[in-house]
Amino acid sequence: VGLSLVHFGPERDICGDARPELLRASAERDALARFLGNPVFKMLLLGRRASQAFQSPLDSPLPLLAREQDVPKSRRPALAAIEQALRSLAAER
C-alpha cells in the first residue's frame, strides 16, 4: 500500500523536543510523569513519505525486526495469516 517506516520506539518519543519542558511540568502531575518515564509502550508509525517529526536528539528509535527467526516460534504460524491479510488489503486498493 506504499507505506514505509517513519518511527518505531517508545510512545514518549511523540513529545520530541518538548520533553525537557514536560519533565519539569511532570513534577506536579503524576500521570505525565508516568507517561514520560515509561519506555514499555511502543508506537509504530507508518507513512507514505519521509517525516522530520521524529528527528529530536531526545528520541530513542528502536530497530524494527522483520526476520522470521526474530519472531518467537510460538507466534510464527500467525505470520502467514498476517501476510495474506496485508496482500488482500493491498489488492483492494
Side-chain angles (χ1 to χ4, degrees), residues 71-82:
V71 177
K73 286 183 180 180
S74 62
R75 304 202 60 186
R76 288 182 190 168
L79 292 177
I82 292 169

Side-chain angles (χ1 to χ4, degrees), residues 12-86:
R12 65 184 178 201
D13 283 356
I14 197 108
C15 299
D17 291 336
R19 193 177 306 162
E21 181 181 331
L22 291 170
L23 282 169
R24 285 188 291 277
S26 72
E28 300 169 5
R29 299 175 63 194
D30 288 339
L32 182 57
R34 284 192 304 272
F35 171 76
L36 293 171
N38 187 349
V40 175
F41 294 104
K42 307 292 186 270
M43 63 179 174
L44 172 65
L45 299 172
L46 303 173
R48 292 184 184 257
R49 56 183 158 65
S51 172
Q52 299 298 316
F54 293 93
Q55 299 300 317
S56 170
L58 300 175
D59 288 346
S60 49
L62 299 170
L64 185 60
L65 306 174
R67 300 177 314 168
E68 185 174 336
Q69 61 264 31
D70 294 328
V71 177
K73 286 183 180 180
S74 62
R75 304 202 60 186
R76 288 182 190 168
L79 292 177
I82 292 169
E83 287 176 0
Q84 180 58 41
L86 291 171

